[in-house]
Amino acid sequence: MGLWSMLVEPMRSKKCLSCSKVTIPMEFVSFPSLAWEWMGKTTLAQLVYNDPSIKESFDHKSWVCVSDDFDAVNITKTILRSLDADSRDENDLNLLQVMLKEKLSGKRFLLVLDDIWNESYRDWTILRRPFGAGTKIIVTTRLQKVSSNVDPVKAFFLDKLSHHDCLSIFAQHALKARNFAGHPQFKEIGENIVRRCNGLPLAAEAIGSLLRTVTDHSEWEKLYESEIWDLPEDPCGLIPALRLSYHYLPPHLKRCFAYCSIFPKDYEFEEEEIILLWRAEGFLQSKAEIQGTGLGNQYFQDLVSRSFFQRSSKDKSLFVMHDLMNDLAQLVAGEICCRLVGEKQQKFSHRSRHSAYVSDDWFHSVKKFEAFYQMTSLRTFLPLLKGSFFAWV
C-alpha cells in the first residue's frame, strides 16, 4: 500500500466527529521513512506533504526539521507557531502541550518530523502526548531504533536509485537533458561516473552540477579517475562525491561556502543576507569590473548551480543547505567557524574567527556565552533567532 493511500484513505473512510456527548476518534498513525542521509527521505516526505489530496484531507498540517537537536519544548513551539503565528510564547512543556491539544481538538492534523536521530523511547512518548484523534505523523529517520520507538503502522525503507534513474539525474544537471542522446561523446564516460555515484541521488546531482559547464572530454575523464573516489566514507556520512565537488570549487567559492558552516542545519536564508555577510567579511574582492553586490550575486548563484545551496521547499524566495552539505561546510571550515546552538555547553578553539549563536528566544543566562571567552580572534558574532535574522560583524 502506498504512502498516499495510507494517509488519505483512512481519513475518507472515517469521520472525526466531536460533540458534547460523543467523540469518534481516528487512530494515531506514524510512518517512518528509513534511509541513509543521501537517499531522499525528506524529498519523499515533501512530495506527500505538498500533494493536493493531502491538503484536502487535513484541517492543519505542520513540518518540523528535527535533526540531531531533539527538544520537545522547541518542537512543540514550532508546531504551535505553524497553527497560530500569534501563539503565546511559553517555555513550560506541560502548558505548551495543553495549548496544542486544545488547538487540535476535533481537527484532522498531519505532522512531519523530519530526520529524527534521538533514540530515546521516553522522549518520544513525551513528545506525542498531545496527539490523538485525527492526527497522523510521518517520521523520517536513518535509524532502525527510532522506527521501533515510533511503533509505526507502516515503515518505508528507501533503496538506492537504479542506474537508469541515477543516470537521468546526472544528465539533467550535467547536460540539461534527460539522457545522452544529444551528447553521444559523453555517454560512456558519463555512465562510468554515474556508477561511481553508487545509486545516490545527491551524489549524482552534485557531480552533474560540477560538470555542467565542462565541455572538454578529458576533464570528465580526469574527474572519473580522481583518487578522491577511493577515499572511505567520512564518519559523519560524507560521501566521496561531495568532497570531490568541493575539491573542484575555485578558491573564492571555497571560502564563501566554508563560512556558511556557522548556520545550523535546516536554516533558511535569503540570497541578499548571505551576500551582505560575505561583503562585510571582505570575501567579494575582484579586479574585474563586477563589484560588490553584483559579484556576490555571481558567487551565490555559482554555489546554487553546483547544488551547494538549494531553494527551500517551503518558500521559494529562501535557500537552504542539505544536511550533508552543512556537514561538508563544517568539515572544511575546521576550527575557523563554529556555532552555539540553544542550551548546549560547548568549547571552541581560540582560533575561531566566525561564530553564530542559535536560539528560540533571547532570554538566556550569560553562562553559556562563556564558550566565547577564549576566542581572541573572533571577527563575527551572528545571533540567529529562528524565524528572523540580524548580525553583528
Side-chain angles (χ1 to χ4, degrees), residues 40-191:
K41 307 180 304 298
T42 299
T43 300
L44 174 61
Q46 286 171 345
L47 288 172
V48 175
Y49 187 80
N50 295 319
D51 189 85
S53 61
I54 294 295
K55 185 177 181 179
E56 296 171 1
S57 302
F58 293 92
D59 300 305
H60 302 293
K61 59 180 185 175
S62 180
W63 183 292
V64 182
C65 298
V66 181
S67 295
D68 53 357
D69 184 22
F70 190 98
D71 186 318
V73 171
N74 289 337
I75 293 172
T76 307
K77 278 185 178 182
T78 301
I79 297 170
L80 275 169
R81 290 195 196 106
S82 72
L83 300 175
D84 180 5
D86 299 321
S87 60
R88 186 175 80 251
D89 192 28
E90 180 61 63
N91 287 314
D92 184 288
L93 180 59
N94 289 329
L95 291 177
L96 286 169
Q97 291 192 329
V98 168
M99 293 163 59
L100 181 56
K101 190 169 184 177
E102 289 176 351
K103 288 188 178 295
L104 295 180
S105 178
K107 303 293 185 180
R108 298 170 300 177
F109 179 57
L110 172 63
L111 173 64
V112 177
L113 298 173
D114 185 35
D115 198 20
I116 291 183
W117 284 75
N118 189 306
E119 296 183 337
S120 170
Y121 177 73
R122 179 177 179 276
D123 288 348
W124 170 250
T125 55
I126 290 174
L127 177 66
R128 63 182 280 182
R129 281 188 310 207
F131 308 114
T135 294
K136 295 184 185 290
I137 298 180
I138 299 175
V139 171
T140 69
T141 182
R142 314 177 203 184
L143 307 175
Q144 178 67 49
K145 188 173 180 180
V146 172
S147 174
S148 300
N149 288 343
V150 172
D151 190 22
V153 168
K154 180 69 175 179
F156 292 83
F157 296 85
L158 302 187
D159 202 354
K160 294 179 181 180
L161 293 181
S162 67
H163 177 72
H164 175 78
D165 290 337
C166 202
L167 193 66
S168 179
I169 291 177
F170 175 82
Q172 179 182 345
H173 289 276
L175 304 171
K176 300 180 183 180
R178 295 179 63 87
N179 52 50
F180 289 84
H183 308 270
Q185 71 275 24
F186 292 116
K187 187 174 187 297
E188 183 177 356
I189 186 64
E191 289 183 341

Side-chain angles (χ1 to χ4, degrees), residues 227-246:
E227 295 179 356
I228 295 178
W229 288 107
D230 300 321
L231 294 175
E233 185 176 303
D234 188 87
C236 66
L238 286 176
I239 48 180
L242 297 190
R243 283 183 280 183
L244 191 64
S245 64
Y246 174 79

Side-chain angles (χ1 to χ4, degrees), residues 241-352:
L242 297 190
R243 283 183 280 183
L244 191 64
S245 64
Y246 174 79
H247 176 76
Y248 280 94
L249 280 180
H252 63 277
L253 291 185
K254 285 183 176 179
R255 180 170 55 177
C256 290
F257 172 68
Y259 176 82
C260 293
S261 66
I262 65 175
F263 298 112
K265 291 182 178 180
D266 305 313
Y267 184 78
E268 296 175 322
F269 48 85
E270 293 181 356
E271 178 178 357
E272 187 64 23
E273 293 170 352
I274 304 302
I275 292 172
L276 289 174
L277 289 171
W278 288 343
R279 190 174 186 178
E281 297 294 349
F283 294 166
L284 307 182
Q285 298 180 2
S286 172
K287 296 179 181 179
E289 294 181 1
I290 303 175
Q291 294 293 332
T293 304
L295 187 61
N297 291 135
Q298 180 180 308
Y299 284 9
F300 191 92
Q301 291 304 319
D302 280 348
L303 288 171
V304 171
S305 69
R306 296 167 187 256
S307 300
F308 286 89
F309 300 154
Q310 302 173 344
R311 285 198 180 274
S312 168
S313 61
K314 305 172 193 173
D315 184 340
K316 295 303 180 183
S317 68
L318 300 177
F319 294 83
V320 68
M321 285 194 290
H322 189 283
D323 281 2
L324 276 184
M325 287 299 186
N326 191 291
D327 290 338
L328 177 63
Q330 291 182 68
L331 178 68
V332 300
E335 297 179 340
I336 300 302
C337 299
C338 60
R339 62 184 182 233
L340 179 66
V341 181
E343 302 295 322
K344 294 180 179 178
Q345 297 290 332
Q346 295 173 251
K347 291 184 179 181
F348 298 125
S349 169
H350 68 280
R351 298 178 60 244
S352 296

Side-chain angles (χ1 to χ4, degrees), residues 186-244:
F186 292 116
K187 187 174 187 297
E188 183 177 356
I189 186 64
E191 289 183 341
N192 289 336
I193 291 173
V194 168
R195 288 189 184 94
R196 293 203 133 180
C197 292
N198 198 26
L200 309 178
L202 183 60
E205 178 181 341
I207 298 301
S209 298
L210 176 63
L211 294 171
R212 193 176 187 89
T213 58
V214 179
T215 57
D216 188 338
H217 189 277
S218 64
E219 289 299 317
W220 284 52
E221 290 182 337
K222 182 179 177 181
L223 185 144
Y224 170 70
E225 294 169 357
S226 172
E227 295 179 356
I228 295 178
W229 288 107
D230 300 321
L231 294 175
E233 185 176 303
D234 188 87
C236 66
L238 286 176
I239 48 180
L242 297 190
R243 283 183 280 183
L244 191 64

